[in-house]
Amino acid sequence: YVLDLARGVIGGANWLAAVDSLATLYERDGRIRDALVTRRAIVQRYPFLPQSWSGLAALELNRSGGDPERMPYIAGLFEQALERDPAHVPALGVLGALALQSGDRATAIAMLERARDAAPNTPQVLYNLSGAYMMDGRAPEALALAEQLVQLQPGNPDYQALLQGLRTEASGGAPR
């Protein structure tokens, strides 16, 4: 694969697509150090592209194991993506989820609503926003999003469970 990448780059192929593919391959193969080096090279060569930053941030998030001490650094990488594109859905979605996990519902809702506005049918954004609304006492909005999720992906058991749970809570605890 590396030889094919080198030939493609030398032959004038799009460097970003080729090296992003290589980084993804490293990630899938568990070669995290190689993936990090590659993602950092992408940021150095294409610092103006939001996906450069969010790709590195996503890798750092995956390898962090949820370590709270690494979250400010990781959030900063996603914020770099937002500086380049304020409607960058991957960054908005993750920053919203991180805010929700830390208990900052207002920031979570703001970020997730921006992500939904930019990409209205992104399941993970809708799922997290539904949860944020429920935590904020906005049950009708949470239920509407859960219904939208089930319409988008009717066979997804997580979305079915979310919808059933929200219906149960909305009816005062009695299953419907």
Side-chain angles (χ1 to χ4, degrees):
Y1 185 85
V2 174
L3 184 57
D4 289 341
L5 170 67
R7 286 183 184 141
V9 171
I10 291 168
N14 181 334
W15 187 86
L16 178 58
V19 79
D20 184 65
S21 178
L22 178 62
T24 300
L25 180 68
Y26 285 151
E27 291 169 35
R28 275 188 293 203
D29 287 349
R31 296 174 57 185
I32 302 305
R33 183 175 179 172
D34 291 332
L36 280 170
V37 168
T38 306
R39 293 276 174 216
R40 289 178 182 142
I42 293 171
V43 166
Q44 287 178 340
R45 178 129 183 209
Y46 296 97
F48 50 89
L49 294 177
Q51 60 267 35
S52 299
W53 293 95
S54 62
L56 176 59
L59 177 58
E60 290 283 4
L61 180 62
N62 287 338
R63 79 181 198 111
S64 75
D67 180 359
E69 291 182 15
R70 299 207 20 93
M71 290 307 130
Y73 166 69
I74 293 165
L77 293 173
F78 280 114
E79 288 164 2
Q80 288 291 322
L82 287 182
E83 284 183 22
R84 279 122 185 107
D85 177 5
H88 188 63
V89 175
L92 288 167
V94 172
L95 288 171
L98 291 174
L100 191 58
Q101 288 174 358
S102 72
D104 185 355
R105 284 193 309 253
T107 298
I109 289 171
M111 291 284 187
L112 292 167
E113 284 178 341
R114 283 174 55 194
R116 182 202 51 205
D117 291 346
N121 292 321
T122 304
Q124 192 61 49
V125 169
L126 297 175
Y127 184 88
N128 290 340
L129 184 55
S130 178
Y133 282 159
M134 196 64 194
M135 293 168 89
D136 202 43
R138 297 163 63 177
E141 290 166 283
L143 189 57
L145 288 177
E147 288 170 348
Q148 182 181 351
L149 272 170
V150 169
Q151 287 176 355
L152 286 171
Q153 295 185 0
N156 187 308
D158 292 333
Y159 302 158
Q160 292 284 347
L162 174 67
L163 180 58
Q164 184 59 41
L166 290 173
R167 284 181 175 160
T168 299
E169 282 192 44
S171 67
R176 311 200 282 163

